[in-house]
Amino acid sequence: MPRPPSPARFSFHRKVAAAIALVALADGMLNGWLAVPLPAIFALCWTAVLAFAVAAVRRDRRARAALLLALAFALLLVEDPTLLGWSLFWTAIASAALLPRHRFDDAARWAMRLGLHALSGIAAPFHDTARLTRLGRDGQWWRPRTVAATIALPLIGGICFVALFAGANPIISAAFDRIALPSPAIAIAHGVIWCVVLLGTWASFRPHAIIGLVGARGTGPVQRLPDVPVATLGLSLITFNIVFAVQNALDIAFLWSGAALPAGITLADYAHRGAYTLIAAALLAGLFVLVALSPDGAAARQPALRRWLVLWIGQTLLLVASSILRLFDYIAVYSMTVLRLSALAWMLLVAVGLILIVWRLLTARSAAWLINANALAAALVLSAAGVIDLGATAAAWNVRHAHTAGNLDLCYLRGLGPSALLSLIALERRVRGARLQDRVAFVRAEAMQILIEQQANPQDWSWRGARRLRAAETALGPHPRAVAATTNGRNCDGTPFPPPPAPLTPGPEQ
């Protein structure tokens, strides 16, 4: 008597059905059959389908937490679809798929597992295809060979009779004539979409066993290096403190107190040359402490060395604070950009990392604790960057802190697109002079038009864009300032191009 089908086989069928549903959804959205925001709706459906198809994800408490985090990042994609938001979503949903099978130990190992998960996903569908041929070896009706043998005769016979009737009945023949087969290029495009979506999603339903190799016995995240002699460490810390004291003294004298710089050196030069270099010095300092001073080493138990270490890290934190002040001074001269705003967040992360290194040394914490604490700080900063529109923040800063409207970089504001729209509207109200108002109105009108087109396309629609468009229409009113027509076009900052030089005409013959 044949055995009843096992729940595991039905589970595999659910996963196959879930993957097919996601492939069909992506195909419909990418080809315009479904007028919905593409990344957000796909992410929401992927989250729901994973919870439905994989029972282990529903049962595991940690996986459920990761799934809720994936849902939050999917909603963030509805707010504003960005590459950062999608990366955060993928990290969360991949973690939800892995947590029922693998214990989270530290962020370093988990990052390796996520990397293997992404790479193994390329081969996962091909690896599991063989499972379809192994299903039903006990004679179940859904065995592929049994299914093929069952449907072969009715399928072939049906095709033959339909062909005969199409030749005999003009109505059936006309119906077949109206069927338009897709061109090879369209068929290939659909095939590419199916393959990409299948390769990207299948691994979340069936993670590869190779991921279990990460974290095997003897593969710790940090290999212990030989201890540095106490005398060498002491001399190094004294030397480093002296060198850092010189640099910090100069920063206190010229940067913090505002003393006059030597002739030929401007504050902008002084600030720009050190903003990023000093962060490299701070990173080297943290790396030295991390590698040379272990909490369970002999050097860490020396009170004198610990005092020199705390003093040096304190000086390093002052160095980071000086770097932040340098960057603010540079921004005051050359304006804010998304890159400089990101650099400020990076500098704060460096400062947090230094504090965590010292705390780990003083409290004898493990290397895994340090890795996880830094990873958590980085995750919080990245999540905040996914929620905040950095382009709008930079534009608002520049408009608010500009001494005169004429010294604003309108080309950069134009490059920010709709992110700068509300700031451009505020600037348009503030500027004086018909020519400058016309330039700002031109840049504003371009950003407004891009936003209108994005919101009119259902696949590009976003909550943030809808709120921004509504606020812009309210601020501009029913009759926004018209942009003057130009004959020769405009520069990126709205300045009209001058007319081309008139052609030279030959003079009268002498």
Side-chain angles (χ1 to χ4, degrees), residues 116-132:
L116 274 178
H117 178 67
L119 293 175
S120 64
I122 300 174
F126 305 101
H127 178 269
D128 288 331
T129 299
R131 182 177 175 86
L132 289 173

Side-chain angles (χ1 to χ4, degrees), residues 230-373:
V230 174
T232 302
L233 278 176
L235 185 59
S236 299
L237 290 174
I238 293 172
T239 304
F240 297 161
N241 271 291
I242 293 172
V243 174
F244 275 51
V246 173
Q247 174 63 44
N248 284 325
L250 291 174
D251 281 344
I252 292 172
F254 298 114
L255 196 64
W256 293 92
S257 66
L261 288 163
I265 301 178
T266 64
L267 182 60
D269 293 335
Y270 187 82
H272 181 248
R273 290 185 61 180
Y276 302 107
T277 308
L278 295 184
I279 287 296
L283 288 173
L284 286 176
L287 181 63
F288 173 82
V289 176
L290 188 63
V291 172
L293 281 165
S294 175
D296 56 353
R301 293 190 292 268
Q302 298 290 329
L305 286 181
R306 291 162 70 97
R307 285 193 290 269
W308 280 108
L309 172 66
V310 171
L311 176 61
W312 184 39
I313 294 298
Q315 289 207 78
T316 307
L317 289 173
L318 179 58
L319 207 65
V320 174
S322 297
S323 299
I324 294 174
L325 182 60
R326 288 167 183 262
L327 188 55
F328 271 119
D329 289 339
Y330 189 74
I331 289 170
V333 177
Y334 295 102
S335 77
M336 176 70 80
T337 65
V338 173
L339 182 60
R340 290 164 193 162
L341 191 59
S342 303
L344 287 171
W346 166 247
M347 291 175 181
L348 290 175
L349 273 179
V350 171
V352 170
L354 290 170
I355 295 172
L356 291 174
I357 288 173
V358 175
W359 185 255
R360 177 223 177 189
L361 186 65
L362 296 179
T363 58
R365 300 278 184 170
S366 65
W369 175 89
L370 180 63
I371 293 171
N372 291 340

Side-chain angles (χ1 to χ4, degrees), residues 5-21 49-50 52-56 58-59 101 123-136 142-144 198 201-208:
S6 66
R9 295 183 179 183
F10 286 122
S11 173
F12 185 79
H13 292 157
R14 282 200 303 270
K15 295 171 184 176
V16 172
I20 293 174
V49 164
L50 179 63
F52 164 77
V54 184
R58 299 193 302 270
R59 291 193 297 262
R101 297 168 176 246
F126 305 101
H127 178 269
D128 288 331
T129 299
R131 182 177 175 86
L132 289 173
T133 62
R134 294 196 298 268
L135 287 177
W142 57 81
R143 183 169 56 183
L198 183 62
T201 58
W202 181 251
S204 63
F205 303 120
R206 286 182 54 80
H208 200 281

